[in-house]
Amino acid sequence: MVSSSGTEPRRVTIHDVARSAGVSRQTVSRALNDKDEIEGSTKQRVLDAARALGYRPSRFARGLVRQDTTTIGLVIPDLLNPFFTEVAAAALEAARARGWHVVVYDTADRPEEELGTLQVIGAQVDAVVGYFSCSEDTLERFTRGVPVVLIGRPHHTARFTSIRIDGEQGVHAAVAHLVAQGHTRIGMLDHGGRTEPSIRRDWFTAAAAAYGVDAGMVVGADQSADGGGAALGTLLAAHPDVTAVFTFNDIIAIGALREARRLGRSVPRDLAVIGFDGLQLGALVEPPLSSVALDTRRLGALAIDQAARLLTGLDPLDADALVVRAELRLGGSA
């Protein structure tokens, strides 16, 4: 086990052995699997390094190295949320086109599950791609030597890279559209599971201020259709004069559509609804959902492309190329 001052022991990975022996990961794989393609002295150096570090490849990892294929760890916070399912599908498609193996981890949007994933993922994959809420120090501790591509959050550590989501202009366009339709009482259903306002609420607040709209009518919602419905009920009970609502995501918006119908409010005549994400599911509800839409296919593919560049030693894409911008896509709900 490898440990650092003040931290828990970390499982020794194949990358640690490669670094200690001064060889590539593929060479370590061949040496440990007794392949004939490498010189005897190199094989012995790898075996000595593995023994000195106490490296114990897991049964899972041994199966992967025998295939001599690149393996990506894709970390998703909630596969029950169709947005993350769409991103995962795009990443899997992009990885499959490269002949890569992908292991998908669902952390169920819980810190303890995320930590558990980190404790095993570093020894099993060549690169990590996905969503994390933990600190970069924690990421560094468990993924040392493995390239990491973060989705939807900035990075501050040089060995990480990020795919950034920029929805500011899309949210501004959504508020501008609602104002142009005559709405002056616009509420928001934000992410209800966080102690601080979401970045999407910040975008909404800034856009509302630009048009002189009160942005204080905000209710937190659980990340589900039921959560969206309950939050809309709470919002309208407190502010019955609200005529439009912007939501943290499309799932919440779909729940709001259902609740509006139950309350006898016609959409969009009595209540306009705009979501965020641009899910394919939004086109199947009635009325079709208006949304600040992200290109989920580009998001997943871009993350895999960046991982490929890091693994092959190419320069990572620059910051401007690593941005996925959201755009307002009007349906029938606003």
Side-chain angles (χ1 to χ4, degrees):
M1 303 290 283
V2 173
S3 63
S4 57
S5 177
T7 64
E8 297 178 356
R10 179 179 64 83
R11 184 188 181 100
V12 176
T13 73
I14 196 170
H15 303 277
D16 296 318
V17 177
R19 186 165 50 249
S20 177
V23 297
S24 69
R25 173 198 175 281
Q26 288 75 18
T27 297
V28 174
S29 299
R30 294 186 181 100
L32 295 179
N33 286 281
D34 200 26
K35 300 293 185 181
D36 296 328
E37 298 92 350
I38 60 175
E39 295 181 356
S41 59
T42 301
K43 182 184 296 185
Q44 189 59 51
R45 189 165 76 251
V46 170
L47 295 176
D48 290 343
R51 189 177 302 108
L53 292 171
Y55 175 62
R56 298 286 190 276
S58 67
R59 181 176 61 181
F60 174 76
R62 284 198 302 270
L64 294 181
V65 297
R66 285 198 186 105
Q67 297 173 30
D68 199 26
T69 186
T70 297
T71 303
I72 302 296
L74 178 62
V75 180
I76 299 295
D78 183 8
L79 282 172
L80 293 178
N81 184 324
F83 173 78
F84 296 116
T85 304
E86 288 186 14
V87 173
L92 287 166
E93 181 181 8
R96 189 181 304 116
R98 296 176 181 274
W100 289 359
H101 182 85
V102 178
V103 184
V104 180
Y105 302 82
D106 183 353
T107 63
D109 207 18
R110 293 200 294 264
E112 62 273 20
E113 292 292 337
E114 184 176 298
L115 182 60
T117 294
L118 282 171
Q119 288 173 336
V120 300
I121 195 172
Q124 297 178 341
V125 302
D126 298 288
V128 175
V129 171
Y131 295 82
F132 293 94
S133 60
C134 65
S135 69
E136 290 191 9
D137 286 344
T138 300
L139 280 171
E140 173 71 27
R141 186 195 318 168
F142 291 107
T143 63
R144 190 169 301 160
V146 178
V148 176
V149 180
L150 306 173
I151 302 177
R153 62 174 278 186
H155 68 281
H156 303 96
T157 302
R159 60 171 298 267
F160 299 150
T161 186
S162 302
I163 310 298
R164 187 166 65 88
I165 294 173
D166 184 359
E168 185 171 12
Q169 292 304 311
V171 174
H172 188 97
V175 173
H177 171 75
L178 293 174
V179 171
Q181 297 297 308
H183 297 284
T184 58
R185 301 289 288 169
I186 305 172
M188 180 181 178
L189 306 183
D190 195 15
H191 192 306
R194 297 173 179 170
T195 57
E196 298 180 354
S198 68
I199 184 63
R200 297 178 189 182
R201 180 174 175 179
D202 291 341
W203 293 333
F204 170 71
T205 300
Y211 288 96
V213 175
D214 178 9
M217 298 174 292
V218 179
V219 172
D222 291 339
Q223 301 300 287
S224 66
D226 287 344
L232 180 68
T234 300
L235 176 69
L236 293 179
H239 306 282
D241 57 344
V242 164
T243 61
V245 63
F246 168 68
T247 69
F248 177 84
N249 64 25
D250 285 355
I251 293 299
I252 291 173
I254 289 170
L257 289 178
R258 185 175 63 188
E259 180 66 9
R261 186 179 302 113
R262 190 188 72 81
L263 295 173
R265 292 212 180 191
S266 175
V267 177
R269 186 188 64 201
D270 302 325
L271 182 73
V273 178
I274 297 181
F276 190 107
D277 281 343
L279 296 180
Q280 297 177 28
L281 180 63
L284 303 180
V285 299
E286 184 58 40
L289 183 64
S290 296
S291 182
V292 179
L294 289 164
D295 185 343
T296 53
R297 288 182 61 84
R298 180 168 182 265
L299 190 59
L302 190 58
I304 294 298
D305 184 42
Q306 182 73 333
R309 298 179 72 88
L310 297 175
L311 285 169
T312 56
L314 296 174
D315 290 336
L317 295 167
D318 61 40
D320 288 341
L322 292 172
V323 179
V324 177
R325 291 181 170 83
E327 298 179 350
L328 178 62
R329 183 185 301 161
L330 292 175
S333 67

